Amino acid sequence: MLTTIDELHLGPLEAIAYSSGFGRWAIVLPGAGYSTQAPLLWYARRCAQAAGFDVLALTDRYRRDAGADPLAWVEERLSAAIEHVHTSDPAPLVVAKSLTSLGSALAAREGLPAVWLTPLIGAGSGVADRVTAGLRSGSAPRLLIGGTADPSWDGTVAQTLTDAEVLELADADHALEVADDVGRSLAYLGRVVDAMSRFMKRVA
């Protein structure tokens, strides 16, 4: 199926739309230092397309030195993305990495299925209570993926979330990679891709 690729400027956000006319949409949100072109989110987009979703991938970058409130920054952009696809898909799939897990409460209010990659639910994140509360308030299907070497992750918390699917990778860091072990990192990327693919096909 032919896919059109368009750069969009939607109020506060900039994005690339990958449209094949499916009508269902996935919104892919970057981390603070992890773009939607980086491996985890690149393959998230590919998985979503294979599962029958058009994809809106945000290209904005959060800049700490600009003084923007991170919660407001995330919710403003997620809201604009939801509004953009709402006519054809009132309940798009959300894929968020790290910082953009601050959109958990908004996703819960809207009843959106979601993939949360390295969500900030560990004590080392500084916003764990806010992100976890948002996740606890949701009931739509969700998949959480994190690594035991990431201080922003807490597998015990993830396992307490009702009806959430959880993939925890031993020794994986905040990029879901293993330090000084390229082969294991690539194997983990494959496991993440498999988990996302199965989840997205179920919620499509």
Side-chain angles (χ1 to χ4, degrees):
M1 182 176 291
L2 179 65
T3 299
T4 60
I5 302 174
D6 297 299
E7 293 187 8
L8 302 178
H9 304 278
L10 307 172
L13 70 85
E14 296 182 356
I16 298 175
Y18 301 83
S19 179
S20 300
F22 292 124
R24 292 296 316 278
W25 281 89
I27 297 168
V28 180
L29 304 168
Y34 199 94
S35 80
T36 52
Q37 301 296 302
L40 293 170
L41 297 178
W42 175 272
Y43 284 105
R45 191 250 310 166
R46 294 290 303 274
C47 289
Q49 290 176 294
F53 290 91
D54 298 319
V55 178
L56 188 67
L58 274 66
T59 56
D60 283 354
R61 178 184 173 191
Y62 176 74
R63 292 177 172 82
R64 292 183 178 88
D65 58 1
D69 174 68
L71 176 63
W73 189 92
V74 172
E75 289 197 336
E76 186 177 43
R77 280 152 182 80
L78 179 54
S79 294
I82 293 169
E83 182 179 357
H84 179 71
V85 304
H86 187 268
T87 301
S88 60
D89 189 355
L93 169 69
V94 173
V95 181
K97 171 76 171 82
S98 185
L99 175 77
T100 48
S101 64
L102 281 165
S104 60
L106 175 56
R109 291 195 299 271
E110 296 290 333
L112 308 182
V115 175
W116 303 107
L117 293 163
T118 66
L120 304 180
I121 57 175
S125 74
V127 293
D129 290 346
R130 178 174 285 172
V131 174
T132 302
L135 291 170
R136 290 198 191 287
S137 66
S139 59
R142 55 265 181 89
L143 168 66
L144 284 76
I145 303 177
T148 62
D150 178 6
S152 296
W153 168 259
D154 188 325
T156 301
V157 170
Q159 293 289 351
T160 65
L161 297 171
T162 304
D163 297 329
E165 298 179 41
V166 178
L167 173 62
E168 183 173 78
L169 302 172
D171 305 318
D173 61 17
H174 197 55
L176 297 180
E177 298 178 357
V178 180
D180 303 320
D181 195 333
V182 174
R184 198 172 171 200
S185 298
L186 287 173
Y188 276 174
L189 178 60
R191 289 182 62 186
V192 171
V193 168
D194 286 344
M196 291 193 297
S197 180
R198 290 193 300 270
F199 177 82
M200 290 175 181
K201 287 175 181 176
R202 283 197 296 272
V203 301

